[in-house]
Amino acid sequence: MKKHSLIFAFLITSFFAKAQDYKMQLANSYYDNFHYVEAVEIYEDVIDEDSSNYEAIEKLAHSYRKLHDTNNSEKWYKKLTEHFPDNSLFSLYYAQALASNGKYDESKNGYKKFSKLKSTDSRGEVFVYAYENLNPFYEDST
């Protein structure tokens, strides 16, 4: 009886792993063909089943950014920057999403982090300078 339970558990686990692989392949296909709305739905489902699937989280964040959904891209880039603190691209996109959502102080900090991680890219310094020296420019937009 115990042997049958182990076999059944193995089969169920294998089935779910294959289903997860299929969903990722399908979502990646949509993503690669610029069908971000469809990709988002599947990536969300994959992440609901496995919240540590960082490939899905990354592509979900990128999809939301490409769809100009700054609230959701902020949410997912935040998760990526927390898990991959040395990734300059995630820091940049997170700072951009924060700025788009009117969170300028947080965005300035994000650009500072980006600037430290990628000192050869001037975008971080330029935005930090703008936030620190052009306050009236962005304060009027709130």
Side-chain angles (χ1 to χ4, degrees):
M1 183 70 162
K2 187 175 183 178
K3 185 177 181 181
H4 293 297
S5 296
L6 287 174
I7 292 172
F8 181 72
F10 174 76
L11 291 174
I12 293 294
T13 303
S14 296
F15 172 77
F16 284 116
K18 291 287 184 194
Q20 189 84 343
D21 288 344
Y22 172 75
K23 286 180 185 179
M24 278 299 294
Q25 288 175 359
L26 182 59
N28 288 340
S29 176
Y30 282 130
Y31 180 88
D32 292 341
N33 288 295
F34 312 105
H35 296 269
Y36 301 115
V37 172
E38 293 85 355
V40 159
E41 292 177 24
I42 299 169
Y43 287 134
E44 291 269 6
D45 189 40
V46 167
I47 294 165
D48 284 344
E49 293 174 11
D50 179 9
S51 63
S52 65
N53 187 328
Y54 284 95
E55 177 189 358
I57 292 170
E58 177 180 356
K59 289 184 176 175
L60 179 63
H62 293 326
S63 295
Y64 277 127
R65 182 177 55 83
K66 293 174 183 191
L67 290 169
H68 305 286
D69 183 337
T70 58
N71 289 318
N72 278 311
S73 63
E74 175 189 334
K75 170 186 171 181
W76 293 107
Y77 281 121
K78 179 179 182 179
K79 187 169 180 88
L80 288 168
T81 59
E82 289 169 350
H83 192 75
F84 301 102
D86 295 331
N87 186 303
S88 62
L89 188 63
F90 297 158
S91 294
L92 174 65
Y93 290 153
Y94 182 48
Q96 290 172 341
L98 289 165
S100 294
N101 293 333
K103 299 175 181 177
Y104 301 114
D105 288 333
E106 291 176 65
S107 177
K108 179 176 81 172
N109 292 332
Y111 281 116
K112 283 181 180 179
K113 181 179 177 186
F114 170 74
S115 186
K116 287 179 187 174
L117 292 170
K118 187 110 182 193
S119 60
T120 59
D121 190 326
S122 64
R123 288 179 288 183
E125 290 178 14
V126 168
F127 279 100
V128 170
Y129 176 83
Y131 284 131
E132 291 176 346
N133 296 293
L134 304 173
N135 280 347
F137 175 75
Y138 75 87
E139 285 178 351
D140 289 344
S141 66
T142 57

